[in-house]
Amino acid sequence: MANVCVITGGGSGMGLAAAKFMPKDKIIVLSGRTEKKLENAVNELKALGYEAYAKACDTSDKKSVHALAEYAATLGEVKTVINSAGLSPAMAKPETIVRVNALGTVYMNKEFSAVMKNGGVIVDVASNSAYVLPKFLINKKVYALADTDEELFVKKIIKKSNLAKGDYARSGFAYALSKNFVTWYAAKCAFEYGKKGIRVVSLSPGLIATDMGNLEAKDGGMLIPFSAEERMGKPEELGFALATVADERNGYLAGVDVLVDGGSTNGMKEFKKKK
Ligand SMILES: NC(=O)c1ccc[n+]([C@@H]2O[C@H](COP(=O)([O-])OP(=O)(O)OC[C@H]3O[C@@H](n4cnc5c(N)ncnc54)[C@H](OP(=O)(O)O)[C@@H]3O)[C@@H](O)[C@H]2O)c1
């Protein structure tokens, strides 16, 4: 049976970069909201010798995610899922950010774990902004609502985001909270799906020179001096990191967040604190 890899946010950035590091015997399904972008990305992969397909999906829509999982399962056994779809603070208001980044992860993990078997892997893309939140904003009881009462979950996260002053800062809080949630939820799923032999990991990039990273570079640029090499990450570096975390030979990597941020979180906390 064919071996299928689904990548959301696969039309651009690190999602598309990850696809290019996948073994050629996998069928690649690239997903996102913009069909034209997906078609171009699929053509790039085909030119490299991949069997690849585009399937539009909005990850904040449960039915759309269900349809994506069903479609992928018709192509073969879904072995690999990289959930790279996301919106950053400059791209959307807090509610949309929470629905795409946080609830999108819930829908992706639930719908895909239902069609995946022993040996499958789900990699959820979070962010190193998950690490910069003041502790009082992080409430695991609120996070648990994502499984039981989605609307209350969204309301409570937005209420916390509104503690920030100004539109951009509010979206920034919503982004950091949504990504902190992703690290927690991926770990939770690892323990649930582990019984079925499905591995779940989250990966947190630092500031990376993709469309999103470049858009956020004005504010995110403050991270650069804190990184070990004092630079942004390259999309292909993150693509490789995602592909290696997803590789089945990395079978014992589960239930944790993998921080791929050039050291900027550690730099900020300790080694370059004064900058
Ligand atoms: N670049 C950075 O500095 C950085 C840092 C930390 C974390 N991240 C995370 O890394 C991931 C990948 O981002 P990137 O840097 O590669 O940026 P990117 O090129 O903008 O990729 C994000 C992708 O997500 C898709 N997307 C957005 N909303 C979606 C939705 N509702 N449903 C399905 N797809 C959706 C976008 O395509 P459509 O618009 O066509 O849907 C786009 O292709 C994101 O989760 C982001 O939060 C990025």
Side-chain angles (χ1 to χ4, degrees):
M1 200 179 200
N3 184 326
V4 180
C5 165
V6 178
I7 305 180
T8 69
S12 64
M14 54 188 92
L16 177 56
K20 293 174 185 169
F21 286 107
M22 285 296 152
K24 292 242 165 75
D25 61 353
K26 277 188 197 285
I27 294 176
I28 312 284
V29 178
L30 298 182
S31 190
R33 295 166 304 174
T34 319
E35 282 180 15
K36 186 71 200 151
K37 208 158 94 177
L38 295 175
E39 273 169 31
N40 291 341
V42 159
N43 287 338
E44 262 191 69
L45 291 185
K46 283 182 175 166
L48 292 169
Y50 286 95
E51 181 175 349
Y53 301 92
K55 173 77 178 165
C57 163
D58 178 345
T59 58
S60 67
D61 176 349
K62 203 188 290 189
K63 283 191 186 144
S64 184
V65 175
H66 181 77
L68 175 65
E70 267 191 344
Y71 169 76
T74 63
L75 297 172
E77 186 180 337
V78 182
K79 281 269 197 188
T80 313
V81 173
I82 297 180
N83 181 29
S84 190
L87 291 176
S88 67
M91 291 171 162
K93 294 205 162 88
E95 179 168 352
T96 311
I97 289 174
V98 175
R99 289 193 184 275
V100 173
N101 297 0
L103 289 184
T105 301
V106 172
Y107 303 151
M108 281 297 297
N109 289 10
K110 283 192 175 160
E111 293 295 337
F112 276 92
S113 63
V115 299
M116 290 167 85
K117 294 183 185 145
N118 184 24
V121 59
I122 301 174
V123 184
D124 290 314
V125 179
S127 164
N128 70 342
S129 65
Y131 291 81
V132 300
L133 281 168
K135 282 214 169 74
F136 77 90
L137 281 179
I138 301 168
N139 183 338
K140 307 283 168 72
K141 282 192 185 146
V142 170
Y143 288 178
L145 289 171
D147 273 336
T148 56
D149 189 339
E150 284 172 13
E151 293 312 312
L152 188 58
F153 166 76
V154 172
K155 206 169 143 191
K156 287 198 177 264
I157 298 285
I158 291 171
K159 196 174 169 196
K160 282 176 192 286
S161 306
N162 286 344
L163 292 171
K165 286 202 172 71
D167 287 346
Y168 183 82
R170 281 195 270 276
S171 286
F173 262 32
Y175 182 78
L177 279 163
S178 70
K179 294 299 193 177
N180 186 275
F181 169 81
V182 170
T183 63
W184 177 82
Y185 195 76
K188 177 178 182 279
C189 290
F191 292 93
E192 275 174 39
Y193 310 160
K195 294 169 205 129
K196 222 176 135 182
I198 298 170
R199 189 162 68 84
V200 189
V201 191
S202 61
L203 184 147
S204 284
L207 186 66
I208 313 303
T210 59
D211 292 348
M212 180 187 291
N214 292 328
L215 188 66
E216 299 292 340
K218 191 170 138 274
D219 291 272
M222 52 78 68
L223 283 174
I224 295 172
F226 292 104
S227 66
E229 292 180 16
E230 305 196 352
R231 66 172 175 88
M232 282 173 100
K234 299 174 194 164
E236 57 272 25
E237 290 172 327
L238 267 291
F240 184 71
L242 284 166
T244 47
V245 163
D247 192 297
E248 59 207 26
R249 288 167 290 184
N250 239 331
Y252 206 48
L253 188 60
V256 288
D257 185 59
V258 179
L259 184 56
V260 187
D261 72 342
S264 51
T265 301
N266 257 349
M268 206 180 321
K269 280 192 185 151
E270 185 176 351
F271 299 105
K272 290 189 163 189
K273 213 175 171 182
K274 280 181 194 150
K275 283 207 177 182

